[in-house]
Amino acid sequence: MDKSTNNNSRQGGCCCGLIRYQVSGEPVIVAHCHCQDCQRLSGCGHSTGAMFKIADVEIFGKPGEYILEANNGNRVTKGFCRNCGSPIFGRNSGSEEHLTLSLGTFDDSSQFDPQVVIFSRNKQHWDLINENLPRFDTQPDWKPDNNS
Ligand SMILES: [Zn+2]
Ligand SMILES: [Zn+2]
């Protein structure tokens, strides 16, 4: 494989191909989220997403956007393909400089390793949780900007 070490850009997209994206740089964090919104939006027990700096992400196509209010009052914008319904990204008003891409939409998601589990209190008994990861009942008070 010809894999240049300098070219760390990754691509992904929706199921039907109308939405594509490209991202450079490394994720700020990769997390499993078991919250109820993620259960409904994914149709599964949890979602898994990689958070990047929004400046590192380029989206091609016109995703639909759905806005919901999180428990803490933040506005969460979910981006999805209007044609095939794939969940592509999430943005949170509490962290405007970041965008979280659904891990399963990457062309190759095998190189990511989830680091935390959040909203574990909402986990359903039929869903699996990675017991080796740090786990938070809800969303930790953690700011990707100021990791000192
Ligand atoms: Zn699509
Ligand atoms: Zn969630």
Side-chain angles (χ1 to χ4, degrees):
M1 291 286 288
D2 177 22
K3 211 172 190 180
S4 156
T5 46
N6 290 328
N7 180 7
N8 57 356
S9 106
R10 300 176 169 105
Q11 284 85 36
C14 68
C15 193
C16 76
L18 280 186
I19 308 293
R20 295 288 300 163
Y21 61 80
Q22 174 165 311
V23 58
S24 59
E26 292 304 312
V28 179
I29 195 157
V30 182
H32 296 299
C33 181
H34 290 264
C35 83
Q36 219 162 16
D37 290 331
C38 284
Q39 292 184 28
R40 288 200 193 276
L41 289 161
S42 69
C44 307
H46 64 274
S47 70
T48 305
M51 180 188 274
F52 289 89
K53 289 197 187 116
I54 207 163
D56 290 344
V57 182
E58 200 175 353
I59 292 175
F60 311 99
K62 286 202 163 35
E65 294 197 348
Y66 174 68
I67 297 173
L68 59 124
E69 190 164 316
N71 295 332
N72 59 8
N74 285 350
R75 281 156 56 93
V76 177
T77 304
K78 294 292 185 179
F80 58 93
C81 174
R82 294 174 198 270
N83 188 45
C84 70
S86 302
I88 305 293
F89 67 80
R91 284 198 319 260
N92 192 310
S93 62
S95 175
E96 301 273 13
E97 313 79 40
H98 296 91
L99 179 145
T100 298
L101 291 164
S102 306
L103 213 60
T105 62
F106 279 87
D107 294 343
D108 177 11
S109 60
S110 66
Q111 39 193 299
F112 294 106
D113 287 301
Q115 296 149 277
V116 290
V117 173
I118 64 174
F119 283 98
S120 64
R121 67 171 184 195
N122 295 114
K123 187 189 93 69
Q124 298 298 328
H125 71 88
W126 45 262
D127 194 20
L128 295 172
I129 205 161
N130 186 332
E131 303 285 346
N132 300 318
L133 296 180
R135 198 188 303 181
F136 299 89
D137 279 349
T138 60
Q139 172 102 47
D141 278 335
W142 133 105
K143 293 250 194 263
D145 279 332
N146 336 313
N147 33 3
S148 45

